[in-house]
Amino acid sequence: AAGVARDDLQLAWDFTTASRENVTGWLLHMRDEALAKVGEDGPPYTIDSVEDTWEPDTIAFRIHGRMTVPLYLDKPEPGANLVFGPDGMPDPNPARPTYEVPFEVLIPKSALTKPAALLQYGHGLLGERHQIEASNFRKLVSEKNFIIFGVDLVGMADDDSGHIANVLSSGQIQNISTMFDRMHQGFLNSLLAMRMMSRGFAKDPKFGAYVDPTQRYYHGISQGGIAGGVYMAASTDVERGVLSVMGQPYGFLLNRSVDFAPFFLVLRGTYPDTRDQQLVLAYTQMLWDRVEPNGWTKYLGGGLPNTPAHSVLMSAARGDHQVTTFGAHVMARAVGAKHLESGIRDIYGLEKVPETQSGSVYVEYDFGLPEDPLCN
């Protein structure tokens, strides 16, 4: 029917496209509505604990608290579904319109003498906000004068792993939609956390003097680097960020990640045919696009309503066996980044530059790892 002779045909397939509104509409609606609901100072918050002797050489205060945000799910726990209004857009839960989201903040000792920039951290695979306590981050914020903070990316946080495994093993793969619904809430929480820190927390009678609210940045690694593609494209408060160990789309990354091995064992038990496994990942990707960089990085430099343009520094390691650099290249091309030349190799579709003063840029490192396999 397409005028191609059957004898000349090697491969034919169907594919589905989606509009910008279809992919980004739910989260952007939640963002704009929630920001209006919480007001100028952002979500109200409660400080639960303050420690001033935790790491006395570098950190002045370790703070744990909770912020109150609109809840767009039918329950806060894993397995939740988005609540929709009559207009087909997510709505706050009428029975429970808000819930409390834990956060953690580290204020370096350097901030005691000069107000510090805000650095929001995106945690690793199925991780949690407490990753900001690592020694490398303590060193970074102390030397560069950043206040680092984080919230869990619910939907792909530590307490979601059991639910995800249960869905994969159940054979009811359609229930994986609960993971992506909850990720909408997770990204909303992340966006609201920066609004809280740069507005309300910056006026805190005890800690506000240590904050420079005019400097707002994002830094994500691995899952945080991947999810950072969504956060950076959607943020109205952060215009510059770092995405490390990043890539897209997840359906491409999972097959090539050692981290997916335990989930593949579960998936293989339910779907032993490898063709079925690929079909499951393809179906899943269509839902994932709304909350992963595949649906967002095209607009990172601009193009979303009521959203500024953003710039990111992307870094990856050649031969990475957790997040393949092939996925990093896809993301860099989607963003329209330049390739900061490091003498390692050329990258298809990326213009090499010796230095850069503005815009998004991608850089690779070589630690002597084996090359990425070309195959799946």
Side-chain angles (χ1 to χ4, degrees), residues 95-107:
R96 185 177 178 180
T98 64
Y99 86 122
E100 293 185 325
V101 175
F103 64 86
E104 181 174 350
V105 181
L106 299 182
I107 300 179

Side-chain angles (χ1 to χ4, degrees), residues 72-375:
Y72 285 80
L73 302 171
D74 56 8
K75 61 180 182 179
E77 299 80 24
N81 294 283
L82 282 168
V83 176
F84 290 92
D87 60 355
M89 286 294 175
D91 253 6
N93 185 336
R96 185 177 178 180
T98 64
Y99 86 122
E100 293 185 325
V101 175
F103 64 86
E104 181 174 350
V105 181
L106 299 182
I107 300 179
K109 298 196 77 171
S110 57
L112 303 182
T113 55
K114 180 184 178 182
L118 290 168
L119 181 65
Q120 183 164 2
Y121 178 65
H123 62 70
L125 180 63
L126 297 170
E128 55 187 359
R129 61 194 180 279
H130 305 307
Q131 289 180 3
I132 64 173
E133 298 176 0
S135 60
N136 57 310
F137 296 128
R138 298 198 306 270
K139 183 174 184 289
L140 170 69
V141 300
S142 177
E143 292 182 352
K144 302 298 182 182
N145 199 31
F146 286 112
I147 292 174
I148 191 170
F149 66 96
V151 295
D152 294 351
L153 179 62
V154 299
M156 286 194 74
D158 180 63
D159 61 350
D160 292 289
S161 55
H163 172 71
I164 296 168
N166 289 338
V167 170
L168 292 178
S169 64
S170 70
Q172 303 296 313
I173 195 63
Q174 68 275 11
N175 293 331
I176 200 68
S177 63
T178 56
M179 170 184 167
F180 310 123
D181 280 13
R182 196 164 186 250
M183 287 181 71
H184 277 81
Q185 183 72 50
F187 279 113
L188 178 66
N189 296 348
S190 296
L191 295 171
L192 291 176
M194 178 56 84
R195 178 59 59 94
M196 176 202 72
M197 290 294 299
S198 61
R199 305 290 181 87
F201 192 88
K203 300 175 183 177
D204 189 272
K206 183 173 182 179
F207 302 108
Y210 307 130
V211 180
D212 178 357
T214 66
Q215 296 191 68
R216 304 179 296 270
Y217 307 104
Y218 175 86
H219 181 32
I221 301 177
S222 191
Q223 181 184 293
I226 299 166
V230 180
Y231 175 95
M232 286 301 303
S235 178
T236 55
D237 291 323
V238 178
E239 297 183 14
R240 293 168 67 87
V242 174
L243 310 180
S244 295
V245 197
M246 27 54 75
Q248 70 180 69
Y250 262 114
F252 177 76
L253 302 177
L254 294 181
N255 290 281
R256 295 160 174 82
S257 174
V258 67
D259 290 328
F260 190 57
F263 293 97
F264 234 136
L265 286 175
V266 176
L267 187 66
R268 193 173 294 126
T270 310
Y271 304 97
D273 191 319
T274 54
R275 295 167 296 183
D276 289 338
Q277 295 165 18
Q278 295 308 310
L279 194 61
V280 164
L281 290 179
Y283 282 148
T284 299
Q285 185 62 53
M286 293 167 65
L287 300 177
W288 219 333
D289 284 343
R290 290 193 175 104
V291 278
E292 76 114 89
N294 202 49
W296 290 83
T297 46
K298 176 181 179 180
Y299 313 111
L300 195 145
L304 293 177
N306 306 314
T307 309
H310 308 84
S311 298
V312 290
L313 168 63
M314 295 177 279
S315 63
R318 187 179 187 180
D320 193 311
H321 64 292
Q322 294 178 294
V323 183
T324 174
T325 49
F326 293 146
H329 299 168
V330 173
M331 181 185 279
R333 286 190 290 268
V335 171
K338 300 289 177 49
H339 175 197
L340 186 62
E341 188 172 7
S342 54
I344 296 175
R345 60 178 170 179
D346 294 338
I347 298 172
Y348 173 77
L350 297 185
E351 176 190 349
K352 287 193 298 185
V353 294
E355 60 181 20
T356 180
Q357 300 296 325
S358 61
S360 293
V361 64
Y362 173 79
V363 62
E364 278 192 341
Y365 298 87
D366 190 346
F367 296 99
L369 297 171
E371 288 276 359
D372 301 69
L374 291 173
C375 61

